[in-house]
Amino acid sequence: MAHALTLARWKAALDASGCPVCRLAQEAGRDFLIGVLREGKAHAEVYERVRDVGGFCEGHSRVLRRLGAQGLGDRRSVARLYGWLLDDL
C-alpha cells in the first residue's frame, strides 16, 4: 500500500512543472507541519520540544500562515505554540 502511494506521489510530481524532488520535499514539509500542529496539541511534550529549539524557521512559519485555518483545522494550535515561544523571550 505505501509503495503504491509513493509511486502515485512521484507520478503526480513528475507531471507537474519544476523539480519533482523539490515538490515532494515541500509537500512532505507541509504535511509534517500539519501533523505536528494537529497531533501536537494533544501532546504537550511535542510543543515543548519545538519551543526548546526556538520554534520554526521563517520559511516554515510562512508555510503555516499560508495554510491558514482550513489547512490546520484551526489557528489555536499555532497560537498556543507561539504563545509558549513568546513566554520564553
Side-chain angles (χ1 to χ4, degrees):
M1 174 81 168
H3 176 72
L5 291 174
T6 301
L7 183 59
R9 289 183 86 172
W10 266 108
K11 286 180 179 179
L14 289 166
D15 288 341
S17 64
C19 175
V21 175
C22 290
R23 177 173 301 284
L24 290 171
Q26 288 171 349
E27 289 173 4
R30 182 200 63 224
D31 293 348
F32 179 77
L33 284 171
I34 291 170
V36 164
L37 290 168
R38 285 187 178 167
E39 303 296 324
K41 63 185 170 188
H43 305 283
E45 180 184 342
V46 173
Y47 278 11
E48 289 169 4
R49 296 200 62 191
V50 171
R51 181 195 62 208
D52 291 346
V53 298
F56 302 118
C57 69
E58 181 180 344
H60 287 110
S61 295
R62 288 179 188 208
V63 170
L64 291 175
R65 183 173 180 214
R66 282 193 305 268
L67 285 170
Q70 290 76 30
L72 297 171
D74 63 48
R75 291 185 188 227
R76 288 186 298 267
S77 299
V78 177
R80 179 179 174 201
L81 176 61
Y82 277 90
W84 285 13
L85 292 169
L86 289 172
D87 287 345
D88 286 349
L89 293 177

